[in-house]
Amino acid sequence: MGDNSATEVRDLRTGEPVWRSYPSWVPDAHPLIAGVEVDVLVLGAGVSGALVAEAATAKGLSVAVIDRRAPAGGSTAASTALIQFELDTPLVRLVDEMGMQRAGRVWRRSFQAVQDLGTLVQRTGIPCDFAPQNAVYLAGNVLDPGELMRECEMRQSIGLPTKYLNRSDLRGLASIDREAALYSSGAAELNPVQLTGGLLQHAMLRGAQLYAPVNIAEVHPGSSSVALATSEGVEFVGRALVFATGYELADGIPRQGHKRTSTWAFATKPQPEALWPNRELIWEASDPYLYIRATADGRLMVGGEDEDIDDEQRRDALLAIKVEALQTKAKALFPALDVGAAFSWTGTFGESENGMPTIGAVPGMPNCYGVLGYGGNGITFAAMAAQMLVSELLGVSDPDRELFAFA
């Protein structure tokens, strides 16, 4: 843990994420006062905490959101925001681990989470460049064309909108020269900083309180409530506490099955006329993998080259080298595009052993819940977590809770 802090203190990102170049509507935090008492305390004002706060206030629960940084000031700003239902672990691999019935439920729940997120943005009218999108999953060293065909058949068998593309199909679609790919509808793209700010604003309009920057030094779970104490001794009390602290884990949160890694990304200047026709989200079945999307104003955004590095200095030192590697890969896919980096950044990332998030009650900590959205679909997992946790807080058991619970 950090000095006098209930959670780890980490340098979550370095460089200049592209989202800082767009207008954002992050609300102002309240001044710190004593004696805050609410139904739900949310520790973390990134996209996960914002989704939980919006969902909880929509059900009439009183909420306080607390963060040591400004809202959306941590990992959220480093997200490339490819909103996909596809897990990092292919369905064929997850079936081998947990069986078709359970793996199918995981993938269908992830698909539904993306659709529900779209409905939420439409209902609230949050201006965050949300757009439904299709996704192209290229054959690679994790799934070759034959395995990709099996993956397609398995996805289709559980009702997911996926089709197989051969080399000719792929060339006709996006002028990409690869052996094969899967083409899926049901994905989306957005601006994560704008989404987070909009969600917090909607929650605050319903009475949610936002406190930042505030450092929580102590967490005291009890049989009927949870108390938090700041470094200055100010106390927050809630019937429940939701840890939405991302890659800065709190003391007491189980870490088995999860690890932190590093990731890198860059964005070009706008070049809308040069992009592939339908601007699908593109990623590959490879390790390390590459992923590509376009922004609303026509920038090329490229990320990946993930590596098992949990040291910020080593991560940061590789920024130029990793961006060059990403540029080379992007140029190989799209020779006509300008891959010059107008923005580049690196950040702490996380993975789970099976590509799934962990969501639910924290063992040994009464009335405490955690959101560990480790994996490439962090925003999708956060949307799923908000639904599941708010149901739990209202005393309604989510049908999929055991799939994502802490071990």
Side-chain angles (χ1 to χ4, degrees):
M1 301 302 102
D3 293 339
N4 198 28
S5 178
T7 67
E8 296 172 313
V9 180
R10 303 180 65 88
D11 176 11
L12 291 171
R13 56 182 173 80
T14 298
E16 190 177 5
V18 68
W19 308 120
R20 294 305 185 188
S21 68
Y22 299 96
S24 61
W25 301 274
V26 177
D28 293 329
H30 292 290
L32 184 61
I33 59 175
V36 176
E37 188 167 349
V38 293
D39 293 322
V40 186
L41 298 168
V42 179
L43 197 52
V47 67
S48 295
L51 280 160
V52 171
E54 194 285 329
T57 56
K59 294 296 185 180
L61 299 172
S62 59
V63 173
V65 182
I66 309 155
D67 203 308
R68 68 162 58 96
R69 299 181 181 85
S75 297
T76 294
S79 171
T80 45
L82 285 78
I83 314 302
Q84 297 173 268
F85 66 84
E86 298 163 292
L87 278 68
D88 289 348
T89 301
L91 180 58
V92 290
R93 301 281 192 268
L94 198 61
V95 167
D96 289 342
E97 177 180 331
M98 59 193 307
M100 187 65 196
Q101 194 270 343
R102 289 170 62 83
R105 286 170 58 197
V106 170
W107 271 68
R108 285 194 298 269
R109 185 62 185 258
S110 186
F111 177 85
Q112 189 58 49
V114 178
Q115 314 318 304
D116 292 345
L117 180 60
T119 300
L120 172 63
V121 173
Q122 183 179 37
R123 173 173 58 79
T124 57
I126 294 172
C128 61
D129 289 331
F130 182 95
Q133 193 51 274
N134 298 318
V136 176
Y137 186 41
L138 303 172
N141 61 24
V142 171
L143 294 179
D144 62 26
E147 291 174 308
L148 210 60
M149 178 65 80
R150 284 187 58 234
E151 175 79 4
C152 180
E153 293 169 349
M154 199 165 284
R155 292 188 193 185
Q156 291 173 343
S157 73
I158 61 171
L160 296 177
T162 304
K163 64 180 180 180
Y164 185 85
L165 303 179
N166 59 29
R167 187 186 293 271
S168 176
D169 297 329
L170 193 51
R171 281 178 175 169
L173 177 74
S175 300
I176 295 175
D177 188 21
R178 286 287 185 90
E179 286 187 87
L182 298 186
Y183 192 81
S184 300
S185 59
E189 60 190 31
L190 53 78
N191 179 317
V193 175
Q194 292 176 348
L195 173 67
T196 300
L199 290 167
L200 289 172
Q201 284 185 329
H202 274 269
M204 292 172 73
L205 287 172
R206 301 190 190 108
Q209 304 166 61
L210 173 62
Y211 297 95
V214 174
N215 181 60
I216 298 299
E218 298 176 7
V219 177
H220 300 290
S223 59
S224 60
S225 65
V226 182
L228 307 180
T230 71
S231 302
E232 293 76 28
V234 178
E235 190 172 79
F236 295 85
V237 178
R239 288 197 299 110
L241 167 63
V242 175
F243 289 105
T245 57
Y247 306 122
E248 294 177 310
L249 291 181
D251 192 15
I253 299 288
R255 299 161 187 250
Q256 296 89 343
H258 302 87
K259 66 177 180 180
R260 279 183 297 244
T261 61
S262 295
T263 191
W264 293 264
F266 76 91
T268 70
K269 64 183 182 182
Q271 46 185 319
E273 300 305 318
L275 298 177
W276 56 106
N278 296 313
R279 301 190 185 185
E280 292 92 349
L281 311 180
I282 296 169
W283 64 306
E284 59 181 357
S286 294
D287 185 15
Y289 64 80
L290 175 80
Y291 51 90
I292 298 175
R293 59 160 286 198
T295 60
D297 59 348
R299 299 178 189 271
L300 178 70
M301 191 186 308
V302 183
E305 281 297 301
D306 298 3
E307 194 167 329
D308 286 345
I309 294 175
D310 191 23
D311 178 270
E312 291 94 338
Q313 290 184 332
R314 288 179 59 204
R315 178 198 72 195
D316 296 351
L318 289 171
L319 179 56
I321 295 171
K322 291 292 191 176
V323 167
E324 184 177 357
L326 291 170
Q327 289 171 314
T328 299
K329 289 182 175 181
K331 194 70 173 178
L333 277 181
F334 295 110
L337 291 182
D338 178 358
V339 297
F343 298 86
S344 61
W345 65 98
T346 178
T348 296
F349 186 59
E351 298 177 352
S352 65
E353 291 177 351
N354 57 12
M356 290 169 53
T358 300
I359 302 164
V362 179
M365 299 182 72
N367 301 304
C368 293
Y369 302 86
V371 181
L372 274 66
Y374 283 21
N377 300 10
I379 296 176
T380 302
F381 295 159
M384 186 190 311
Q387 295 175 334
M388 297 178 71
L389 293 182
V390 170
S391 291
E392 188 87 2
L393 295 173
L394 294 172
V396 179
S397 180
D398 189 282
D400 294 325
R401 62 181 295 190
E402 85 283 358
L403 295 173
F404 304 99
F406 284 89

